[in-house]
Amino acid sequence: MATARDYRQRRRLRRDRHGRGLRGTLYPASLPAAASRAERFDALVLDALEPIEARWRHELTTLDVAVDDVPEVNADSRAPVDGVLHDGAVPLSRLVPAGVDRAGLPTRARIVLYRRPLEARAKDPGELADLVHDVLVEQVAGYLGVEPDVIEGD
C-alpha cells in the first residue's frame, strides 16, 4: 500500500523543488539561437573578414584577427596610442604590430576588435555588421599602409 509520503518522494524525483519539472536547453545546439552573443559576434567578424581576406590573401598572411570583450584601461590611458581606432574616448579596435613578446619570442601582427564597445554603438544586427566591416577595413588599411578605399576595391 502506497502512502502519501511515497507518492511525494516519487514526485520529487521527476520535478525540481518548485514543481516545474527538470530544466534543460531551450534550443538544440545546432540552431543559431543557441549561440551566445560572443559566438555570434565572432561569426560576424569572420563574415566581414572573408571578402577582405579573399582580395588581399597574400598581403595578410602574417596578420591575425582577434576579438576581446573590452579594451584594457591603463592608468596612462589619456596618452595617444598608435593603431587604436577610437569613437570618442572609447577604443573600438587596435592594430598591434609584429614584435617580440616578454619571453623573447617573435609575435605576428594582429587586429583586436573590442566586442562590447562595438555592440554598444550599433542599433541592430545589420548596423553592427556594417560597423565591424568598416572597422576591419580601417585597420587592414592601416596595416597595409593604404587608403581604406583601396581595401574596399572602389
Side-chain angles (χ1 to χ4, degrees):
M1 173 172 209
T3 64
R5 184 175 182 183
D6 293 335
Y7 175 72
R8 282 192 301 247
Q9 285 179 341
R10 278 187 291 151
R11 191 170 169 205
R12 274 192 208 136
L13 294 176
R14 289 183 275 159
R15 298 192 173 268
D16 66 0
R17 67 188 180 119
H18 299 289
R20 286 183 242 151
L22 298 176
R23 294 191 177 198
T25 56
L26 296 176
Y27 296 102
S30 60
L31 293 178
S36 68
R37 286 174 59 187
E39 291 170 338
R40 286 191 303 266
F41 188 82
D42 291 346
L44 189 68
V45 170
L46 290 175
D47 289 343
L49 184 62
E50 187 176 347
I52 298 169
E53 195 173 53
R55 182 159 187 231
W56 298 92
R57 181 170 311 281
H58 299 293
E59 291 83 356
L60 300 180
T61 56
T62 59
L63 178 70
D64 294 332
V65 177
V67 174
D68 213 354
D69 281 339
V70 293
E72 271 186 36
V73 177
N74 296 334
D76 189 25
S77 63
R78 295 181 191 255
V81 179
D82 289 338
V84 177
L85 183 62
H86 287 275
D87 179 25
V90 179
L92 300 178
S93 67
R94 180 173 184 191
L95 174 62
V96 181
V100 179
D101 66 0
R102 293 180 183 146
L105 300 172
T107 61
R108 294 167 42 126
R110 73 181 177 277
I111 294 172
V112 181
L113 299 171
Y114 300 119
R115 179 178 65 87
R116 300 284 302 265
L118 287 167
E119 286 177 340
R121 275 143 188 82
K123 294 178 182 156
D124 56 30
E127 189 175 323
L128 180 60
D130 291 341
L131 181 60
V132 167
H133 177 74
D134 293 344
V135 168
L136 274 174
V137 166
E138 286 282 332
Q139 292 292 24
V140 169
Y143 172 71
L144 296 176
V146 298
E147 292 296 316
D149 293 339
V150 175
I151 300 297
E152 287 279 359
D154 295 342

mmCIF file of all heavy atoms in Angstrom, residues 38-60:
data_model
loop_
_atom_site.group_PDB
_atom_site.id
_atom_site.type_symbol
_atom_site.label_atom_id
_atom_site.label_comp_id
_atom_site.label_asym_id
_atom_site.label_seq_id
_atom_site.Cartn_x
_atom_site.Cartn_y
_atom_site.Cartn_z
ATOM 1 N N ALA A 38 28.787 36.372 -27.799
ATOM 2 C CA ALA A 38 30.193 36.357 -28.204
ATOM 3 C C ALA A 38 30.396 35.467 -29.429
ATOM 4 O O ALA A 38 31.155 35.819 -30.341
ATOM 5 C CB ALA A 38 31.069 35.885 -27.050
ATOM 6 N N GLU A 39 29.732 34.314 -29.474
ATOM 7 C CA GLU A 39 29.858 33.428 -30.624
ATOM 8 C C GLU A 39 29.256 34.068 -31.880
ATOM 9 O O GLU A 39 29.820 33.947 -32.968
ATOM 10 C CB GLU A 39 29.176 32.093 -30.343
ATOM 11 C CG GLU A 39 29.888 31.253 -29.308
ATOM 12 C CD GLU A 39 29.075 30.057 -28.857
ATOM 13 O OE1 GLU A 39 27.826 30.066 -28.997
ATOM 14 O OE2 GLU A 39 29.694 29.101 -28.354
ATOM 15 N N ARG A 40 28.135 34.748 -31.722
ATOM 16 C CA ARG A 40 27.533 35.426 -32.866
ATOM 17 C C ARG A 40 28.433 36.555 -33.363
ATOM 18 O O ARG A 40 28.561 36.783 -34.562
ATOM 19 C CB ARG A 40 26.145 35.965 -32.508
ATOM 20 C CG ARG A 40 25.096 34.884 -32.400
ATOM 21 C CD ARG A 40 23.697 35.451 -32.320
ATOM 22 N NE ARG A 40 23.476 36.374 -31.220
ATOM 23 C CZ ARG A 40 22.995 36.045 -30.028
ATOM 24 N NH1 ARG A 40 22.647 34.802 -29.781
ATOM 25 N NH2 ARG A 40 22.829 36.947 -29.088
ATOM 26 N N PHE A 41 29.081 37.262 -32.438
ATOM 27 C CA PHE A 41 29.989 38.338 -32.828
ATOM 28 C C PHE A 41 31.209 37.773 -33.554
ATOM 29 O O PHE A 41 31.657 38.337 -34.553
ATOM 30 C CB PHE A 41 30.423 39.142 -31.598
ATOM 31 C CG PHE A 41 31.210 40.371 -31.940
ATOM 32 C CD1 PHE A 41 30.566 41.534 -32.316
ATOM 33 C CD2 PHE A 41 32.591 40.363 -31.894
ATOM 34 C CE1 PHE A 41 31.286 42.674 -32.646
ATOM 35 C CE2 PHE A 41 33.324 41.492 -32.217
ATOM 36 C CZ PHE A 41 32.664 42.654 -32.597
ATOM 37 N N ASP A 42 31.750 36.665 -33.065
ATOM 38 C CA ASP A 42 32.884 36.028 -33.736
ATOM 39 C C ASP A 42 32.519 35.635 -35.163
ATOM 40 O O ASP A 42 33.305 35.831 -36.094
ATOM 41 C CB ASP A 42 33.349 34.796 -32.960
ATOM 42 C CG ASP A 42 34.003 35.136 -31.643
ATOM 43 O OD1 ASP A 42 34.351 36.317 -31.428
ATOM 44 O OD2 ASP A 42 34.163 34.221 -30.807
ATOM 45 N N ALA A 43 31.327 35.085 -35.348
ATOM 46 C CA ALA A 43 30.875 34.713 -36.689
ATOM 47 C C ALA A 43 30.719 35.952 -37.571
ATOM 48 O O ALA A 43 31.035 35.920 -38.765
ATOM 49 C CB ALA A 43 29.555 33.948 -36.605
ATOM 50 N N LEU A 44 30.262 37.040 -36.981
ATOM 51 C CA LEU A 44 30.108 38.293 -37.707
ATOM 52 C C LEU A 44 31.465 38.831 -38.174
ATOM 53 O O LEU A 44 31.603 39.304 -39.300
ATOM 54 C CB LEU A 44 29.408 39.309 -36.808
ATOM 55 C CG LEU A 44 28.944 40.608 -37.407
ATOM 56 C CD1 LEU A 44 27.795 40.333 -38.367
ATOM 57 C CD2 LEU A 44 28.473 41.530 -36.300
ATOM 58 N N VAL A 45 32.461 38.731 -37.322
ATOM 59 C CA VAL A 45 33.813 39.171 -37.673
ATOM 60 C C VAL A 45 34.362 38.317 -38.813
ATOM 61 O O VAL A 45 34.943 38.835 -39.767
ATOM 62 C CB VAL A 45 34.745 39.130 -36.447
ATOM 63 C CG1 VAL A 45 36.201 39.337 -36.841
ATOM 64 C CG2 VAL A 45 34.325 40.176 -35.427
ATOM 65 N N LEU A 46 34.161 37.014 -38.735
ATOM 66 C CA LEU A 46 34.644 36.135 -39.804
ATOM 67 C C LEU A 46 33.952 36.436 -41.127
ATOM 68 O O LEU A 46 34.590 36.431 -42.185
ATOM 69 C CB LEU A 46 34.434 34.673 -39.414
ATOM 70 C CG LEU A 46 35.322 34.151 -38.285
ATOM 71 C CD1 LEU A 46 34.928 32.736 -37.910
ATOM 72 C CD2 LEU A 46 36.785 34.229 -38.672
ATOM 73 N N ASP A 47 32.656 36.721 -41.074
ATOM 74 C CA ASP A 47 31.923 37.076 -42.293
ATOM 75 C C ASP A 47 32.422 38.388 -42.882
ATOM 76 O O ASP A 47 32.505 38.539 -44.105
ATOM 77 C CB ASP A 47 30.420 37.175 -42.012
ATOM 78 C CG ASP A 47 29.788 35.827 -41.749
ATOM 79 O OD1 ASP A 47 30.410 34.792 -42.086
ATOM 80 O OD2 ASP A 47 28.667 35.797 -41.194
ATOM 81 N N ALA A 48 32.739 39.355 -42.027
ATOM 82 C CA ALA A 48 33.230 40.648 -42.508
ATOM 83 C C ALA A 48 34.657 40.543 -43.041
ATOM 84 O O ALA A 48 35.042 41.259 -43.964
ATOM 85 C CB ALA A 48 33.168 41.682 -41.383
ATOM 86 N N LEU A 49 35.433 39.636 -42.490
ATOM 87 C CA LEU A 49 36.832 39.481 -42.887
ATOM 88 C C LEU A 49 36.977 38.686 -44.181
ATOM 89 O O LEU A 49 37.939 38.886 -44.931
ATOM 90 C CB LEU A 49 37.618 38.806 -41.764
ATOM 91 C CG LEU A 49 39.113 38.643 -41.955
ATOM 92 C CD1 LEU A 49 39.778 40.006 -42.067
ATOM 93 C CD2 LEU A 49 39.704 37.863 -40.805
ATOM 94 N N GLU A 50 36.031 37.830 -44.470
ATOM 95 C CA GLU A 50 36.142 36.930 -45.621
ATOM 96 C C GLU A 50 36.385 37.645 -46.953
ATOM 97 O O GLU A 50 37.329 37.300 -47.674
ATOM 98 C CB GLU A 50 34.902 36.046 -45.699
ATOM 99 C CG GLU A 50 34.984 34.976 -46.748
ATOM 100 C CD GLU A 50 33.771 34.080 -46.708
ATOM 101 O OE1 GLU A 50 33.001 34.129 -45.738
ATOM 102 O OE2 GLU A 50 33.595 33.341 -47.687
ATOM 103 N N PRO A 51 35.584 38.668 -47.330
ATOM 104 C CA PRO A 51 35.869 39.327 -48.619
ATOM 105 C C PRO A 51 37.186 40.093 -48.630
ATOM 106 O O PRO A 51 37.852 40.167 -49.671
ATOM 107 C CB PRO A 51 34.675 40.261 -48.820
ATOM 108 C CG PRO A 51 34.041 40.406 -47.504
ATOM 109 C CD PRO A 51 34.388 39.196 -46.710
ATOM 110 N N ILE A 52 37.572 40.648 -47.499
ATOM 111 C CA ILE A 52 38.851 41.369 -47.423
ATOM 112 C C ILE A 52 39.999 40.385 -47.599
ATOM 113 O O ILE A 52 40.940 40.619 -48.352
ATOM 114 C CB ILE A 52 38.970 42.123 -46.079
ATOM 115 C CG1 ILE A 52 37.873 43.174 -45.958
ATOM 116 C CG2 ILE A 52 40.350 42.749 -45.925
ATOM 117 C CD1 ILE A 52 37.748 43.781 -44.579
ATOM 118 N N GLU A 53 39.905 39.260 -46.905
ATOM 119 C CA GLU A 53 40.959 38.255 -46.983
ATOM 120 C C GLU A 53 41.025 37.603 -48.367
ATOM 121 O O GLU A 53 42.101 37.246 -48.834
ATOM 122 C CB GLU A 53 40.731 37.190 -45.910
ATOM 123 C CG GLU A 53 41.934 36.322 -45.666
ATOM 124 C CD GLU A 53 41.712 35.405 -44.480
ATOM 125 O OE1 GLU A 53 40.694 34.686 -44.470
ATOM 126 O OE2 GLU A 53 42.547 35.425 -43.582
ATOM 127 N N ALA A 54 39.885 37.474 -49.027
ATOM 128 C CA ALA A 54 39.886 36.888 -50.368
ATOM 129 C C ALA A 54 40.656 37.773 -51.344
ATOM 130 O O ALA A 54 41.367 37.272 -52.215
ATOM 131 C CB ALA A 54 38.447 36.683 -50.846
ATOM 132 N N ARG A 55 40.522 39.066 -51.190
ATOM 133 C CA ARG A 55 41.184 40.000 -52.110
ATOM 134 C C ARG A 55 42.650 40.233 -51.753
ATOM 135 O O ARG A 55 43.489 40.405 -52.619
ATOM 136 C CB ARG A 55 40.440 41.327 -52.099
ATOM 137 C CG ARG A 55 41.029 42.313 -53.058
ATOM 138 C CD ARG A 55 40.060 43.400 -53.426
ATOM 139 N NE ARG A 55 40.665 44.197 -54.482
ATOM 140 C CZ ARG A 55 40.750 45.499 -54.435
ATOM 141 N NH1 ARG A 55 40.221 46.160 -53.446
ATOM 142 N NH2 ARG A 55 41.323 46.157 -55.412
ATOM 143 N N TRP A 56 42.964 40.238 -50.467
ATOM 144 C CA TRP A 56 44.315 40.575 -50.005
ATOM 145 C C TRP A 56 45.005 39.387 -49.334
ATOM 146 O O TRP A 56 45.802 39.567 -48.417
ATOM 147 C CB TRP A 56 44.245 41.740 -49.028
ATOM 148 C CG TRP A 56 43.705 42.982 -49.630
ATOM 149 C CD1 TRP A 56 42.405 43.390 -49.652
ATOM 150 C CD2 TRP A 56 44.440 43.971 -50.327
ATOM 151 N NE1 TRP A 56 42.284 44.572 -50.302
ATOM 152 C CE2 TRP A 56 43.533 44.960 -50.734
ATOM 153 C CE3 TRP A 56 45.784 44.129 -50.649
ATOM 154 C CZ2 TRP A 56 43.929 46.084 -51.442
ATOM 155 C CZ3 TRP A 56 46.171 45.244 -51.345
ATOM 156 C CH2 TRP A 56 45.248 46.211 -51.741
ATOM 157 N N ARG A 57 44.730 38.186 -49.777
ATOM 158 C CA ARG A 57 45.223 36.965 -49.126
ATOM 159 C C ARG A 57 46.743 36.970 -48.925
ATOM 160 O O ARG A 57 47.229 36.665 -47.841
ATOM 161 C CB ARG A 57 44.812 35.751 -49.941
ATOM 162 C CG ARG A 57 45.257 34.428 -49.338
ATOM 163 C CD ARG A 57 44.651 33.236 -50.022
ATOM 164 N NE ARG A 57 43.226 33.315 -50.216
ATOM 165 C CZ ARG A 57 42.303 33.070 -49.275
ATOM 166 N NH1 ARG A 57 42.685 32.752 -48.065
ATOM 167 N NH2 ARG A 57 41.024 33.146 -49.556
ATOM 168 N N HIS A 58 47.504 37.311 -49.949
ATOM 169 C CA HIS A 58 48.968 37.227 -49.854
ATOM 170 C C HIS A 58 49.553 38.288 -48.927
ATOM 171 O O HIS A 58 50.562 38.042 -48.261
ATOM 172 C CB HIS A 58 49.589 37.333 -51.250
ATOM 173 C CG HIS A 58 49.154 36.227 -52.158
ATOM 174 N ND1 HIS A 58 49.507 34.918 -51.955
ATOM 175 C CD2 HIS A 58 48.353 36.227 -53.257
ATOM 176 C CE1 HIS A 58 48.965 34.153 -52.884
ATOM 177 N NE2 HIS A 58 48.253 34.932 -53.689
ATOM 178 N N GLU A 59 48.934 39.450 -48.866
ATOM 179 C CA GLU A 59 49.438 40.519 -48.008
ATOM 180 C C GLU A 59 49.061 40.298 -46.541
ATOM 181 O O GLU A 59 49.693 40.857 -45.645
ATOM 182 C CB GLU A 59 48.901 41.877 -48.463
ATOM 183 C CG GLU A 59 49.459 42.348 -49.783
ATOM 184 C CD GLU A 59 48.731 41.768 -50.993
ATOM 185 O OE1 GLU A 59 47.827 40.926 -50.802
ATOM 186 O OE2 GLU A 59 49.070 42.146 -52.114
ATOM 187 N N LEU A 60 48.034 39.490 -46.282
ATOM 188 C CA LEU A 60 47.541 39.304 -44.908
ATOM 189 C C LEU A 60 47.960 37.972 -44.290
ATOM 190 O O LEU A 60 47.396 37.557 -43.284
ATOM 191 C CB LEU A 60 46.017 39.416 -44.885
ATOM 192 C CG LEU A 60 45.441 40.754 -45.361
ATOM 193 C CD1 LEU A 60 43.923 40.720 -45.295
ATOM 194 C CD2 LEU A 60 45.994 41.903 -44.547
#
